[in-house]
Amino acid sequence: MSARVLVGVKRVIDYAVKIRVKPDKTGVVTDGVKHSMNPFCEIAIEEAVRLKEKKLIKEVIAVSCGPQQSQETIRTALAMGADRGIHVDVSGKDYENLGPLQVSKILAALAKKEDVRLIILGKQAIDDDCNQTGQMTAALLDWPQGTFASQVDFQEDSLKVEREIDGGLETIKIKMPAVVTADLRLNEPRYATLPNIMKAKKKKIDTVKPSDLGVDLSSQLEVLSVEEPSQRQAGVKVETVEDLIKKLRDSGRI
Amino acid sequence: MLTLTQGFLRFKPTLPGAMPIRFAQHARFLVVAKYHTVECFSSENDIRKFIVENTEVVQGNHLTPEIKMRLFTPKCRFWRARPELWPFSDPYWAIYWPGGQALTRFLFDNPGTSRGKKVLDLGSGCGASAMAASLRGASHVLANDIDPVATTAIKMNCELNNLKPLPVSVENLIGTKAEDWDLILLGDMFYDTELSDGLHSWLKQCVSTHRTQVLIGDPGRANFENHKIQKWLRELAHYELPLCVTEENYGLTSSKVWEFLP
């Protein structure tokens, strides 16, 4: 009951927005585009709040790394039931270079600072699809990890995690402290209603800098080019099966 | 200010029941003078009308079925609307906070706590604790809330319960010279550090000057649980919150009453 849980919430371009690549191919257009919480992070927050409602944990801390606007994402997490927020202020060039490794270092440092027993993250973000932050965070802390969780059960000082793997489900038991990453079927996140949104305004968000946490944000990765997926070519209609086979032969497919 | 008016027009179709133009016009003023809403409405009747139209009379869906109150419920059209469409400052008076519920339950169950006493309900909101103190025989009750709209809401809630409207003050009393209150009630007031620090030192002064009894209702908010005031608290009561209350307060399932003993 005394455990604290840290949940990462990433601000990403809303899933319903049509993504446009910048003409110079350095990235995608983000200015004036609607952003919201990464859907897998919503699932992570929901799971943490449910654990709190079952009185299995004491406090849920929502953390987001990014510019000032990341606080809106934290507010959403608070409206969903998180107790307090931490905004790790990263902007400008540092924000452009911010990848899973840098975020993992920040999360690992915060986990130690806040003395948390469990970190719950989305399995991946819908913008970069990296699927690395949970794994890297566990490695940096040398904690066990339960990734792609579709069910989490508390068992005293350990967790039973059901994982979605190729061809079925795998159930593992891991000792806490641990890192869990949420898969799509873990739960269905709640809707933040107006009373909860209003009450969330009274919850506290602390702002820290990566340097306060002793984290170096330098990156070894260089983005060479960002391009749109190639356009699907129009097909052709054939009249008979014979025509189809001939077409396939001619194009060397069979 | 313009955005809000445009917002009304743009989002109007998503609201069940169209927003009367009158309020859209008010809204333009209200955003500019967010904390002076009363002056912007032409009369208290306008505010009353707005409260009637946008709240529901609730009895029994909380810890104290003894009293009725006009509250924000899922039947109200703003429940699922975008928060920026709400034309007032945040209607904390339309919410029966879980800390206030525990405190009010405690007053009903322990009539001796307020009987014959001079009582201050600080951050009164919907006025539930103030009404309970009055119904249990307090000699004088002052409801205090810095939101002027709460003044009207508290009056209306008193009327709903056939109580003579309690005196209400909108002055921020925290930090002022301690008056000779017998009992100070605080429901859900420890939500941020700055406010908690100010309250803590002011309450210490009230207790040392007038031996005021201080009761705090709180559902275990992180800021309260981590505040230094915890060293001087004694738990008086613990209530599990009904399901409908937990749904309005994601993450919270119980609420406690504490006495502050510096």
Side-chain angles (χ1 to χ4, degrees):
Chain A
M1 174 58 197
S2 59
R4 262 190 203 136
V5 176
L6 189 71
V7 184
V9 289
K10 185 176 184 182
R11 177 178 178 268
V12 297
I13 294 179
D14 189 85
Y15 67 93
V17 169
K18 170 138 175 47
I19 303 294
R20 284 184 301 130
V21 171
K22 286 185 192 165
D24 64 1
K25 297 185 177 181
T26 55
V28 299
V29 177
T30 54
D31 288 345
V33 172
K34 186 187 175 197
H35 283 66
S36 48
M37 190 193 295
N38 174 40
F40 289 105
C41 300
E42 288 184 350
I43 298 172
I45 278 284
E46 176 66 35
E47 195 61 19
V49 173
R50 288 185 190 188
L51 291 173
K52 180 168 177 189
E53 286 173 343
K54 287 183 203 151
K55 298 192 195 303
L56 293 166
I57 56 160
K58 185 180 161 66
E59 193 179 15
V60 180
I61 308 170
V63 54
S64 192
C65 311
Q68 184 66 23
Q69 296 94 314
S70 305
Q71 292 203 5
E72 292 163 19
T73 309
I74 297 174
R75 284 282 166 219
T76 306
L78 297 177
M80 290 174 71
D83 294 289
R84 63 186 167 98
I86 299 174
H87 169 216
V88 183
D89 190 6
V90 182
S91 52
K93 200 74 194 154
D94 282 341
Y95 183 53
E96 284 170 29
N97 291 334
L98 195 70
L101 179 60
Q102 291 74 30
V103 173
S104 320
K105 286 178 181 171
I106 291 170
L107 293 175
L110 278 174
K112 284 183 189 157
K113 186 181 167 208
E114 297 287 341
D115 192 24
V116 308
R117 298 281 294 158
L118 176 63
I119 299 178
I120 308 181
L121 306 173
K123 71 165 178 178
Q124 68 189 61
I126 60 167
D127 53 358
D128 57 19
D129 273 350
C130 278
N131 184 341
Q132 294 162 354
T133 307
Q135 293 86 334
M136 285 182 176
T137 307
L140 288 169
L141 287 163
D142 200 16
W143 287 4
Q145 55 184 290
T147 49
F148 316 116
S150 62
Q151 197 178 322
V152 177
D153 292 309
F154 260 64
Q155 295 180 333
E156 289 176 16
D157 213 29
S158 58
L159 294 171
K160 197 173 90 181
V161 181
E162 197 180 85
R163 307 179 58 233
E164 300 207 14
I165 56 168
D166 283 350
L169 295 171
E170 178 188 60
T171 305
I172 57 167
K173 191 174 164 186
I174 52 175
K175 275 219 156 93
M176 287 209 281
V179 177
V180 167
T181 70
D183 213 321
L184 194 64
R185 288 163 202 84
L186 181 59
N187 59 51
E188 203 175 306
R190 64 194 70 192
Y191 183 87
T193 58
L194 186 53
N196 280 294
I197 292 169
M198 284 187 319
K199 288 173 205 177
K201 289 187 197 167
K202 294 199 172 193
K203 293 179 181 175
K204 190 174 165 195
I205 299 179
D206 286 317
T207 299
V208 296
K209 290 204 154 41
S211 53
D212 301 337
L213 302 166
V215 173
D216 171 20
L217 288 182
S218 60
S219 171
Q220 305 300 318
L221 284 180
E222 187 189 348
V223 175
L224 299 178
S225 170
V226 175
E227 289 174 42
E228 285 194 33
S230 53
Q231 292 278 326
R232 189 170 171 270
Q233 300 295 316
V236 288
K237 269 189 181 167
V238 291
E239 294 298 324
T240 64
V241 174
E242 285 75 25
D243 287 350
L244 172 63
I245 289 170
K246 187 170 181 298
K247 277 265 178 210
L248 289 171
R249 280 231 169 89
D250 290 351
S251 61
R253 304 280 172 156
I254 55 171
Chain B
M1 133 183 136
L2 223 83
T3 332
L4 186 74
T5 319
Q6 287 167 342
F8 268 121
L9 299 173
R10 191 158 13 114
F11 293 108
K12 202 164 151 183
T14 67
L15 287 172
M19 163 72 57
I21 297 297
R22 193 159 52 84
F23 285 118
Q25 285 165 348
H26 280 312
R28 265 189 303 168
F29 298 101
L30 288 165
V31 174
V32 181
K34 222 177 171 185
Y35 296 100
H36 305 283
T37 44
V38 163
E39 293 138 53
C40 301
F41 271 78
S42 50
S43 72
E44 194 181 316
N45 280 341
D46 278 358
I47 298 173
R48 276 179 175 262
K49 190 154 182 285
F50 186 86
I51 292 175
V52 169
E53 283 170 359
N54 290 288
T55 57
E56 190 191 356
V57 176
V58 176
Q59 182 166 31
N61 271 349
H62 42 66
L63 279 180
T64 56
E66 290 91 338
I67 45 174
K68 289 185 228 175
M69 268 172 300
R70 290 200 174 274
L71 299 173
F72 215 32
T73 73
K75 284 188 190 160
C76 303
R77 59 181 168 184
F78 278 106
W79 185 268
R80 278 174 177 267
R82 297 165 62 98
E84 59 269 30
L85 299 183
W86 180 259
F88 288 108
S89 57
D90 291 332
Y92 293 125
W93 48 263
I95 294 166
Y96 193 8
W97 294 74
Q101 293 198 26
L103 194 54
T104 310
R105 183 70 262 147
F106 182 81
L107 293 172
F108 275 123
D109 291 345
N110 301 276
T113 311
S114 57
R115 189 182 298 134
K117 303 275 173 66
K118 182 177 170 185
V119 182
L120 170 68
D121 182 18
L122 193 84
S124 192
C126 59
S129 300
M131 289 194 290
S134 180
L135 286 164
R136 285 291 182 262
S139 60
H140 175 74
V141 180
L142 177 69
N144 172 231
D145 199 299
I146 54 167
D147 181 353
V149 184
T151 316
T152 308
I154 293 168
K155 272 189 215 164
M156 290 169 75
N157 285 334
C158 286
E159 288 161 13
L160 268 182
N161 294 285
N162 303 317
L163 257 173
K164 193 171 153 244
L166 296 167
V168 187
S169 134
V170 290
E171 188 191 351
N172 182 0
L173 296 178
I174 303 166
T176 60
K177 188 167 174 287
E179 246 189 82
D180 59 339
W181 302 104
D182 297 318
L183 176 63
I184 295 181
L185 305 171
L186 302 130
D188 264 305
M189 286 292 284
F190 287 83
Y191 41 76
D192 82 46
T193 317
E194 205 181 317
L195 182 66
S196 303
D197 290 347
L199 264 175
H200 184 210
S201 50
W202 184 69
L203 291 170
K204 261 197 297 197
Q205 199 200 334
C206 294
V207 177
S208 67
T209 322
H210 299 289
R211 297 184 168 213
T212 302
Q213 186 186 21
V214 175
L215 297 184
I216 297 166
D218 192 277
R221 294 192 188 281
N223 181 65
F224 180 63
E225 303 249 306
N226 298 328
H227 196 266
K228 58 180 187 264
I229 198 168
Q230 286 288 335
K231 278 189 231 164
W232 294 279
L233 297 180
R234 182 165 70 104
E235 185 180 322
L236 296 183
H238 177 172
Y239 303 99
E240 290 303 313
L241 296 170
L243 184 66
C244 49
V245 178
T246 60
E247 279 171 2
E248 283 178 46
N249 297 278
Y250 290 151
L252 304 174
T253 47
S254 59
S255 189
K256 289 180 181 176
V257 177
W258 305 87
E259 183 174 14
F260 175 48
L261 298 164

